Amino acid sequence: MPPLSYKYSETSIRFLIFLSILGLFLYPILHGNFYYPDDYYRSATGDISCTQTGRFLAQLIFITINASNIAYDLSPLLQVLAIIFLSFSLASLSLKWKLNRTSSALALSLTVCTPFFLQDLSYRFDSLTISMALSCIIWFFILEKTFTSSYKKILFKSILLLSALNLYQPTLNTFLIFSITESLFILYDKNARYSIRSLVANILYLPIPLIIYKCEVIFRKDESYSSLHAQFTHNSFIILNNIRKLLKYAFLEFGIHGGGLEILLGIFLIIGLTNLLYTFYKKGKLPYLSLSLFYIILSICSLAGFLSLLRYPVFDMRVFIANGAFLSIFMLFFIGREASFQKTPIKILLASWVLLIQMTFSTQWGNAIAAQTELNEAIASNIVNDIYILSKQRPVFIRIEAQHKTVNNITTIATQTDDGILDVPVPFITKKIWLARRAIFDHNVIYDPLGEFILKKHDLQSNATYFRSIDESSQFPFALAQNIYEHCSYEAMRANRYYNIYKKGSYILVDFSHKCNE
């Protein structure tokens, strides 16, 4: 057993390695300095609102950091703290799994360096608590031999899982995949019996934290969002359909819907899968091959994981955190736990190239969203100015017309949203990247910001009341908005390159399709 001083110095070295890699992955987000859709709401209102999504511990952490119930924009501090937590956790896990530095850097870094985790790191407010949730999952596997008492170990591990649920629920899928990774290591080092026992033992930690968390959500039944998305279903048709849709989304990273780099990652996934199966076939012939194949199928299902059991799961890139851990399984067995450039230079070069692809995703994501945000901000500023001019500073009611057919020309991308088919301006740089990169296309960045809170960020007058196009209101009824839009019935208008804005009485309608022209 290495001396304690070596363990601490080695952890420090690995921490710095991971911090450098994750820092490079995060840099395009920090350089872009953009507001992700949810950030506009918190910046405008100061509302932390984590309890609405069932993340009660995240709410407490925000209150502690700010010493207030008001959310303050602390970016990039929270994002930097996020990768510090993750770097230390991954450094400790690499020692627990007995990986050398090269294997740690090239394989475990993929846990975070995945295109779907880019959305989570982009949140100016939530990035820290989401990363802490993933860190809780990682530490579940680090602390195996820390406790001499089995009761203390059960208690502490259960607390880690419960904390992860209260910080960010989708990280439980990563727990499933890490459990499978650990069982594959045990299968290779020992035998099938110990491997299966390890997997079952880890799974048995789940029921108590899940039951406690379910009780938390029920107790706070006033929060409709968390209650809605915490509802489980027993309908096998719904579950199978959820699995199909979730896996279809998860495999965007591996070229299922095209994209040059995504297809190359998919090819590596096939190579890694073949290598893993061959490795276990050599180790224990057909029995080991069969069990390893079962574990792989289980890991694929874990990408959908607990989300598939929900009646109303969220289909968005931020919930597919487990993709990184999934890819790391195949990388670990491809390069081995003692990877060396001298022994296997081609494997190391290929592994480095896979990590470089993730860095490319990050850079393109940062550039695309920064360009889109810059345009959104300019449009919002113009809308606020136009409202000020048309209203003559009197009280007004505002809608942004979103339910119209798209022309989908070079300046726009059509996207289906809850509000209908939205056709809003997208800069050339962003469109070019998103059309090439299927794994990082995110309609939220186009659609969500063009609303109340980005307008408030640009000092929308206090006597202006905003309504989403899907919200009926006696103050600005659908029928009136439709009359203005369909019949070009207005008293005044201002034309802009990207939109027309119409005023009728105390009502203002913003139209991105330029329906009416003077």
Side-chain angles (χ1 to χ4, degrees):
M1 184 175 181
L4 196 61
S5 59
Y6 167 81
K7 180 179 178 181
Y8 285 133
S9 63
E10 184 63 20
T11 301
S12 300
I13 292 170
R14 294 182 182 218
F15 166 73
L16 293 175
I17 292 172
F18 279 116
L19 188 62
S20 300
I21 295 171
L22 302 193
L24 186 61
F25 188 69
L26 176 66
Y27 175 75
I29 295 173
L30 299 185
H31 181 260
N33 192 32
F34 48 77
Y35 281 73
Y36 206 69
D38 286 7
D39 298 330
Y40 284 115
Y41 169 76
R42 290 198 172 101
S43 297
T45 65
D47 183 13
I48 298 172
S49 69
C50 288
T51 55
Q52 295 176 13
T53 54
R55 299 189 297 122
F56 310 112
L57 183 55
Q59 181 92 7
L60 180 61
I61 288 171
F62 272 119
I63 292 172
T64 303
I65 291 174
N66 292 285
S68 169
N69 281 318
I70 299 174
Y72 296 100
D73 183 2
L74 298 177
S75 178
L77 175 61
L78 298 187
Q79 288 149 310
V80 172
L81 287 175
I83 64 168
I84 289 175
F85 270 98
L86 290 168
S87 298
F88 182 70
S89 301
L90 290 173
S92 301
L93 181 65
S94 69
L95 288 172
K96 168 64 170 54
W97 280 353
K98 299 178 181 178
L99 310 177
N100 70 4
R101 293 176 188 173
T102 304
S103 297
S104 302
L106 294 177
L108 283 188
S109 293
L110 297 174
T111 304
V112 175
C113 298
T114 170
F116 293 147
F117 201 67
L118 284 167
Q119 187 183 110
D120 299 300
L121 287 175
S122 295
Y123 288 116
R124 301 171 79 92
F125 294 85
D126 286 328
S127 54
L128 174 61
T129 51
I130 292 174
S131 298
M132 290 175 70
L134 183 56
S135 294
C136 286
I137 296 298
I138 294 171
W139 277 95
F140 178 95
F141 298 93
I142 296 171
L143 300 177
E144 180 65 30
K145 297 180 180 180
T146 303
F147 300 99
T148 54
S149 167
S150 59
Y151 295 107
K152 289 182 180 179
K153 182 174 74 172
I154 292 171
L155 175 63
F156 197 82
K157 286 193 165 189
S158 297
I159 290 173
L160 284 172
L161 291 179
L162 183 60
S163 298
L165 280 167
N166 276 276
L167 287 166
Y168 196 57
Q169 306 90 331
T171 51
L172 273 199
N173 290 354
T174 305
F175 165 79
L176 296 175
I177 291 182
F178 274 156
S179 296
I180 294 165
T181 305
E182 197 165 68
S183 293
L184 283 167
F185 281 148
I186 294 172
L187 176 62
Y188 188 85
D189 295 336
K190 296 181 180 180
N191 57 46
R193 183 166 61 90
Y194 282 104
S195 174
I196 296 171
R197 181 187 296 175
S198 171
L199 182 61
V200 172
N202 284 338
I203 298 299
L204 287 177
Y205 278 99
L206 284 171
I208 292 177
L210 284 171
I211 291 170
I212 294 174
Y213 179 72
K214 183 67 176 178
C215 291
E216 289 179 32
V217 174
I218 293 172
F219 178 74
R220 294 190 62 88
K221 57 185 177 181
D222 56 313
E223 303 292 355
S224 59
Y225 184 95
S226 58
S227 298
L228 178 67
H229 290 287
Q231 292 179 21
F232 285 94
T233 179
H234 303 290
N235 187 314
S236 58
F237 175 79
I238 294 176
I239 293 172
L240 290 174
N241 190 50
N242 284 343
I243 291 174
R244 179 187 64 81
K245 291 170 68 176
L246 288 163
L247 291 183
K248 184 178 179 181
Y249 203 127
F251 274 85
L252 286 175
E253 182 181 353
F254 306 112
I256 193 172
H257 283 169
L261 293 180
E262 290 87 341
I263 291 172
L264 291 174
L265 273 183
I267 292 172
F268 171 77
L269 191 65
I270 294 171
I271 294 171
L273 169 63
T274 305
N275 173 79
L276 190 151
L277 293 175
Y278 180 65
T279 299
F280 280 100
Y281 178 76
K282 286 197 305 180
K283 183 72 177 178
K285 300 302 180 183
L286 192 58
Y288 274 45
L289 174 65
S290 301
L291 185 55
S292 62
L293 181 60
F294 169 75
Y295 282 152
I296 290 169
I297 294 171
L298 197 59
S299 68
I300 292 173
C301 294
S302 296
L303 293 175
F306 293 99
L307 294 171
S308 62
L309 303 178
L310 300 177
R311 183 176 295 276
Y312 304 105
V314 174
F315 294 95
D316 210 345
M317 60 189 298
R318 66 179 180 272
V319 304
F320 294 96
I321 294 179
N323 264 47
F326 175 73
L327 185 58
S328 72
I329 293 177
F330 302 100
M331 184 61 76
L332 282 167
F333 282 92
F334 180 72
I335 61 176
R337 282 179 278 184
E338 296 290 334
S340 167
F341 185 79
Q342 287 74 24
K343 294 178 181 178
T344 55
I346 294 179
K347 285 188 174 183
I348 298 301
L349 288 173
L350 184 57
S352 301
W353 172 74
V354 169
L355 187 57
L356 179 62
I357 288 177
Q358 305 297 353
M359 298 300 174
T360 303
F361 282 144
S362 173
T363 304
Q364 291 183 330
W365 166 271
N367 290 340
I369 297 187
Q372 182 65 54
T373 302
E374 183 179 1
L375 181 57
N376 289 342
E377 297 274 358
I379 292 172
S381 179
N382 286 336
I383 290 174
V384 169
N385 288 335
D386 288 339
I387 291 171
Y388 181 83
I389 293 169
L390 289 174
S391 70
K392 297 180 180 178
Q393 304 178 50
R394 297 191 180 103
V396 288
F397 303 100
I398 308 162
R399 282 188 185 275
I400 291 182
E401 175 57 43
Q403 297 176 346
H404 61 267
K405 298 301 180 182
T406 176
V407 294
N408 198 24
N409 57 40
I410 194 65
T411 62
T412 60
I413 287 181
T415 179
Q416 183 69 37
T417 73
D418 292 338
D419 284 7
I421 298 175
L422 189 65
D423 186 17
V424 296
V426 176
F428 177 76
I429 292 174
T430 303
K431 181 173 183 178
K432 187 175 181 180
I433 291 173
W434 276 344
L435 290 178
R437 294 277 75 78
R438 304 316 302 155
I440 59 173
F441 173 76
D442 184 8
H443 71 78
N444 294 310
V445 182
I446 306 174
Y447 153 65
D448 280 346
L450 298 173
E452 177 181 7
F453 301 109
I454 189 173
L455 298 181
K456 285 186 174 180
K457 181 174 181 286
H458 287 272
D459 201 23
L460 177 67
Q461 58 200 64
S462 58
N463 59 0
T465 305
Y466 176 90
F467 298 100
R468 296 184 302 166
S469 61
I470 59 173
D471 293 336
E472 177 61 288
S473 170
S474 59
Q475 293 178 304
F476 196 164
F478 283 135
L480 178 56
Q482 187 175 9
N483 178 264
I484 296 172
Y485 176 72
E486 295 291 342
H487 302 289
C488 296
S489 173
Y490 54 83
E491 299 164 0
M493 75 165 287
R494 289 178 66 84
N496 184 284
R497 176 184 175 186
Y498 296 111
Y499 63 85
N500 288 345
I501 184 166
Y502 317 118
K503 176 182 180 293
K504 184 175 184 178
S506 58
Y507 306 103
I508 288 180
L509 188 68
V510 181
D511 166 29
F512 282 95
S513 67
H514 297 88
K515 170 73 173 179
C516 306
N517 289 297
E518 289 183 324

